[in-house]
Each structure stands twice: as structure tokens, then as C-alpha cells.
């Protein structure tokens, strides 16, 4: 049982480039989300999805797009990378969006934009 | 409004001594509360959760937390620190539809 798999683990982009961060889970979880982690700021929600075909914005969505065509996959797209997007990105999933469920996190993608 | 405050950004303890990581929250709802641990260069792992059942919650690796509504607190404790406990710990409140808020984290240092 792999849990939540994120690829790549590390990435360096030039300003203006685009890329997709991949996230896949094999637990049949309904709820998936993307967070970014910056020093001293905890984790901030970028986008989330409560099921295939349904996505919504979180706290810091600007500059990012998501889609959820299958239950398993929830890719995060950076449209035109900026140095402010240098961060560690975590994908997290949960059985349901109900309040009693904790998250399963991926191991993260460390992104540097130069 | 909903918020989480982790009162210490860094905590240092000696191996074998008790651990106390403090968390206060505010929420308009009856919240669910969680503690996560993050070891260096790793993802977050769920330690324990409170979901309106018993107020004293036991988690993995000997950690426990007590929900105190009157004090709006959910402090994490462990009787005896181990070197492997050195990590960053996050308090999380989940209240209302989709509303999840992470604290800013407490880094625990364990001194041999």
C-alpha cells in the first residue's frame, strides 16, 4: 500500500517556466489537497478536491491550477513560475471531507524557482 | 474565525525528561483537533486526533494530548523524551466544512 505518492521530490525552475507536480493515492480517498510549507508559516492550503471532477480554491490559489479527473490523481500546475513559489509542496488525502478524518501526507516536493 | 497558536516555536528537553508542546485554538464550531509530526525532509504523520469523544487522547510513540474546552487548549505531552522524538510538531484544528488551519509548528530538540 503506497499511500500518497508525490513526484518529483526536487525541482528547479526558471522564472516563467511551467510545470506539473504529480500526486497519486491508492487508498480510494475522496478528499485530496495541496499545501505549501514555508518557514514560520505552517502549511497553507492551495487547492482541494472533494471528489473526481470537483475542485475548489484554498487560502493561496493564485498562480496554481488543479484538476481531478480520477479519484486517484490530483496534479498541481504552476502556470508561470515565480520566485515567490519557491517552497515545499505537500499533497494530502483523507477518506472523507468530514471533520473526524486526519490526513495522509505525501513526502513532499521541494521546488526552487530561480 | 478559526485560528491555532503554538505557543513555542522551539522546545529543548533532555532525553528521558517530559515533553510539553503547547497549542491553543479558537473556532466557531466544535472542532476536531490533531497533532502531526514531521521529521526532517519527510511528510507529516498523524500522531493523534480529538473528535469529541474522550478528552484525553492517546497517540503513537507514547504521546498524548488533553482537550480542555474551558482553556481552548490541546497540549501535547510525553512522559519521557527519546532522541527519535526530535522533529517538528504541528497542531491542527478542523472545524466547519473544509476549514482546516495549521499552526506554525514547534521544533523539538532532544539533548542526549
Amino acid at each position: 500500500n503506497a499511500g500518497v505518492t508525490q513526484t518529483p521530490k526536487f525541482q528547479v525552475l526558471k522564472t516563467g517556466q511551467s510545470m506539473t507536480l504529480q500526486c497519486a493515492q491508492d487508498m480510494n480517498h475522496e478528499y485530496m489537497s495541496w499545501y505549501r510549507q514555508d518557514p514560520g508559516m505552517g502549511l497553507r492550503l492551495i487547492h482541494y478536491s472533494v471528489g473526481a471532477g470537483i475542485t475548489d480554491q484554498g487560502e493561496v490559489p493564485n498562480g496554481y491550477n488543479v484538476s481531478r479527473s480520477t479519484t486517484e490523481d490530483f496534479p498541481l500546475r504552476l502556470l508561470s513560475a515565480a520566485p515567490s513559489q519557491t517552497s515545499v509542496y505537500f499533497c494530502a488525502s483523507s477518506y472523507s471531507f468530514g471533520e473526524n478524518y486526519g490526513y495522509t501526507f505525501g513526502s513532499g516536493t521541494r521546488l526552487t524557482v530561480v | 474565525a478559526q485560528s491555532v497558536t503554538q505557543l513555542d516555536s522551539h522546545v529543548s528537553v533532555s532525553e528521558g525528561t517530559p515533553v510539553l508542546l503547547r497549542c491553543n485554538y479558537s473556532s466557531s464550531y466544535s472542532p476536531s483537533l490533531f497533532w502531526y509530526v514531521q521529521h526532517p525532509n519527510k511528510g507529516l504523520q498523524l500522531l493523534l486526533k480529538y473528535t469529541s469523544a474522550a478528552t484525553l487522547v492517546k497517540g503513537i510513540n507514547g504521546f498524548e494530548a488533553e482537550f480542555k474546552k474551558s482553556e481552548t487548549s490541546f497540549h501535547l505531552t510525553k512522559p519521557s523524551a527519546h532522541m527519535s522524538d526530535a522533529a517538528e510538531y504541528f497542531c491542527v484544528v478542523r472545524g466547519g466544512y473544509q476549514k482546516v488551519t495549521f499552526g506554525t509548528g514547534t521544533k523539538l530538540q532532544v539533548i542526549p
Side-chain angles (χ1 to χ4, degrees):
Chain A
N1 193 344
V4 178
T5 302
Q6 287 185 241
T7 56
K9 293 190 182 301
F10 302 93
Q11 183 71 50
V12 179
L13 287 179
K14 294 182 178 179
T15 298
Q17 286 185 317
S18 62
M19 78 159 294
T20 299
L21 280 62
Q22 301 291 345
C23 175
Q25 54 89 9
D26 61 358
M27 298 170 286
N28 202 31
H29 282 177
E30 288 184 356
Y31 182 85
M32 297 184 75
S33 55
W34 277 101
Y35 286 87
R36 59 177 290 172
Q37 183 179 28
D38 301 292
M41 302 189 73
L43 275 74
R44 292 180 292 168
L45 181 63
I46 304 171
H47 287 284
Y48 66 91
S49 168
V50 299
I54 306 169
T55 64
D56 206 347
Q57 296 180 350
E59 181 184 356
V60 289
N62 291 341
Y64 307 95
N65 273 356
V66 293
S67 60
R68 183 100 178 264
S69 56
T70 67
T71 300
E72 295 78 18
D73 300 301
F74 190 46
L76 178 72
R77 297 182 187 84
L78 279 70
L79 308 174
S80 177
S84 61
Q85 294 178 305
T86 293
S87 186
V88 181
Y89 291 85
F90 288 99
C91 180
S93 72
S94 174
Y95 178 73
S96 171
F97 53 79
E99 293 181 359
N100 290 345
Y101 298 96
Y103 292 147
T104 300
F105 281 85
S107 57
T109 296
R110 188 174 296 273
L111 176 68
T112 302
V113 182
V114 299
Chain B
Q2 178 173 290
S3 67
V4 178
T5 302
Q6 292 186 240
L7 296 161
D8 306 292
S9 58
H10 290 83
V11 170
S12 183
V13 301
S14 296
E15 189 176 18
T17 65
V19 175
L20 170 64
L21 306 183
R22 299 182 294 166
C23 173
N24 287 108
Y25 72 93
S26 68
S27 176
S28 302
Y29 301 87
S30 295
S32 295
L33 294 157
F34 306 80
W35 276 99
Y36 287 84
V37 60
Q38 184 181 31
H39 288 95
N41 300 313
K42 301 289 186 183
L44 282 72
Q45 179 186 16
L46 181 65
L47 268 181
L48 49 79
K49 63 181 178 181
Y50 165 77
T51 56
S52 74
T55 56
L56 182 62
V57 181
K58 294 187 184 300
I60 62 173
N61 301 334
F63 284 93
E64 62 182 36
E66 186 172 8
F67 173 70
K68 293 187 176 180
K69 186 175 181 179
S70 61
E71 299 176 9
T72 61
S73 69
F74 190 57
H75 301 335
L76 182 70
T77 61
K78 183 174 181 178
S80 176
H82 191 273
M83 294 300 295
S84 61
D85 295 328
E88 190 162 17
Y89 293 80
F90 292 91
C91 182
V92 180
V93 60
R94 191 171 191 176
Y97 185 76
Q98 299 301 351
K99 187 62 176 177
V100 176
T101 303
F102 282 77
T104 53
T106 298
K107 289 186 178 178
L108 175 64
Q109 181 186 19
V110 181
I111 301 168

